[in-house]
Amino acid sequence: MRRTFVILAIALQVVILAVMALEREYIVRYGTEVYLRTAPIDPRDIFRGDYVRLSYEISNISLRQAQGSLADKKMEKPKGSKVYAVIIPGEDGIAGLQHITNTRPDDGLFVKGRLSYPWRPKTTNNNALSIKYGIEAYFVEQGKGLEMENKRGSRTGIQIPLEMKVAIGTNGTPVIKGHRWSKLGMGLKVLRQGRQQNQKDEPISGRLEITLQNVSKEDLAIVDLPDVCSFALEPVNQVDELLPLANDFCRDLPVYTDQVIVLSPDESKTWEIDFAEPRWQVIHKDQTVEIGSLPWNNRFRLVYRPPSREESTHLADKELIWHGYLPSRAFHGRGNVD
């Protein structure tokens, strides 16, 4: 009897594995394909061969992007809770987050995941949810993991985003199909730290240098709007406030051909951004402040957002313009970069 039970248990496990494999194969063949942007970390594991660990843009989500009971800040959210990230493919094929919910959507495109850690309102000041989707490991040929990590770039140089090609089933299950590299890389460098306690005459906010580089093998165009308006200042997911800019210099700016810059392969364009200038002041608790004066948990990213294809139809070299969005590493207004 015991032997029969063991055989049945083994057979059941085999059937379950076979069903899972068939489901994955079906999703690969017939699922909806999107690209999810990510950065690889810790590329080697001697016990499992070469692979790249992945953390996606949709892996850490602010509660302000949540809907349903998931958005209730007073409600505890246990580890392993099922969630659904509703996504929309963008101009560059990268899927962006619309919102996240704990109720399965009736339609649209969504990715099914689970909370990596519990969220307890009484013990955390972090307003972000950490989520895993079952696609956090990407296995590659022996020796390729470290090569991919090197291609991504270093913290102090140009970083090239890795974009994963993912097929998504009708139930939200994602399966990795491959990868590509962004044609546009970005670097962020500190030029000046904000004022320290013993520096009363120094600016309270930092000054950074941001660089866009054509990392493809063909000519690529970017758009340089006045007042660095091709870049938006956006709070990271952990911040609960939106912190809008106090001075909207960039609203409804027209785009002209002389603002289009064609970059040859490996060519770059650099801007210096001084966060002590009024251009970068934000509204915090109904007051206009420099971002360097904010608490340390208020961190930002600079996001390159060129005009859309529809807004670029009148421009010369419009077919070369890179479209989409590209975020920098996170930083505090005093110039401390993650």
Side-chain angles (χ1 to χ4, degrees):
M1 182 69 179
R2 182 177 180 181
R3 181 180 179 183
T4 301
F5 178 79
V6 170
I7 293 173
L8 289 175
I10 293 173
L12 179 60
Q13 291 179 7
V14 171
V15 170
I16 292 174
L17 291 174
V19 170
M20 291 175 61
L22 288 173
E23 180 190 26
R24 289 175 58 87
E25 182 62 27
Y26 183 86
I27 292 173
V28 167
R29 287 178 176 269
Y30 303 107
T32 302
E33 292 183 358
V34 298
Y35 282 92
L36 298 176
R37 184 180 287 135
T38 180
I41 56 174
D42 192 16
R44 294 180 61 85
D45 182 337
I46 60 175
F47 300 107
R48 300 175 68 184
D50 273 33
Y51 79 112
V52 179
R53 273 186 24 208
L54 304 172
S55 178
Y56 296 86
E57 286 184 343
I58 62 172
S59 294
N60 292 282
I61 305 300
S62 171
L63 278 177
R64 68 173 182 267
Q65 297 171 288
Q67 291 188 2
S69 61
L70 193 64
D72 188 345
K73 295 182 180 181
K74 298 180 180 179
M75 182 181 296
E76 181 173 331
K77 301 158 183 60
K79 177 181 178 180
S81 298
K82 188 178 294 185
V83 295
Y84 302 90
V86 179
I87 57 177
I88 301 176
E91 285 188 303
D92 57 349
I94 300 294
L97 180 73
Q98 186 180 58
H99 65 268
I100 190 161
T101 178
N102 55 347
T103 303
R104 176 173 169 169
D106 294 328
D107 51 24
L109 190 60
F110 59 90
V111 189
K112 179 172 61 180
R114 293 185 181 275
L115 295 186
S116 306
Y117 305 101
W119 192 93
R120 299 185 177 95
K122 295 182 179 180
T123 61
T124 181
N125 292 320
N126 190 344
N127 286 290
L129 302 172
S130 178
I131 304 167
K132 288 188 176 180
Y133 298 96
I135 49 174
E136 284 72 28
Y138 181 43
F139 289 88
V140 295
E141 295 179 17
Q142 192 73 22
K144 293 292 184 180
L146 189 57
E147 179 182 320
M148 290 179 67
E149 178 69 9
N150 290 335
K151 182 176 176 65
R152 181 183 67 93
S154 66
R155 290 171 55 86
T156 57
I158 297 296
Q159 293 191 332
I160 307 173
L162 178 63
E163 301 166 353
M164 303 306 300
K165 185 178 182 180
V166 177
I168 303 174
T170 55
N171 65 348
T173 300
V175 179
I176 293 176
K177 296 187 66 173
H179 74 277
R180 71 182 186 187
W181 294 96
S182 172
K183 295 180 179 180
L184 196 64
M186 178 182 285
L188 195 64
K189 178 181 178 182
V190 178
L191 299 179
R192 183 195 69 222
Q193 292 279 358
R195 183 175 68 215
Q196 304 301 316
Q197 290 183 350
N198 61 344
Q199 298 175 321
K200 296 182 179 180
D201 296 329
E202 294 296 319
I204 194 171
S205 298
R207 186 170 79 245
L208 301 180
E209 177 184 274
I210 190 162
T211 301
L212 294 179
Q213 180 174 332
N214 178 5
V215 293
S216 73
K217 297 181 180 180
E218 301 175 345
D219 288 350
L220 188 69
I222 59 175
V223 179
D224 183 18
L225 294 175
D227 293 316
V228 204
C229 284
S230 292
F231 291 89
L233 183 69
E234 299 184 7
V236 299
N237 289 332
Q238 289 83 351
V239 179
D240 192 33
E241 294 181 271
L242 288 176
L243 298 170
L245 289 173
N247 305 291
D248 196 354
F249 294 102
C250 301
R251 180 185 293 272
D252 301 325
L253 279 180
V255 187
Y256 301 106
T257 289
D258 61 1
Q259 297 164 345
V260 178
I261 301 174
V262 178
L263 301 176
S264 302
D266 296 325
E267 189 177 3
S268 62
K269 166 69 177 175
T270 297
W271 297 260
E272 290 189 9
I273 297 178
D274 191 338
F275 291 112
E277 296 177 352
R279 158 78 171 89
W280 303 102
Q281 291 176 342
V282 299
I283 302 297
H284 174 62
K285 295 182 179 179
D286 297 324
Q287 293 185 345
T288 298
V289 300
E290 291 184 26
I291 61 174
S293 67
L294 297 173
W296 284 106
N297 65 324
N298 285 269
R299 289 155 48 245
F300 298 84
R301 298 184 194 276
L302 285 167
V303 183
Y304 173 64
R305 294 183 183 275
S308 66
R309 284 188 172 83
E310 290 74 15
E311 296 169 322
S312 306
T313 54
H314 64 289
L315 301 176
D317 297 312
K318 60 179 179 294
E319 70 281 355
L320 298 179
I321 296 176
W322 184 92
H323 293 284
Y325 68 95
L326 188 61
S328 73
R329 304 204 320 270
F331 58 87
H332 184 267
R334 291 195 180 182
N336 300 76
V337 180
D338 286 359

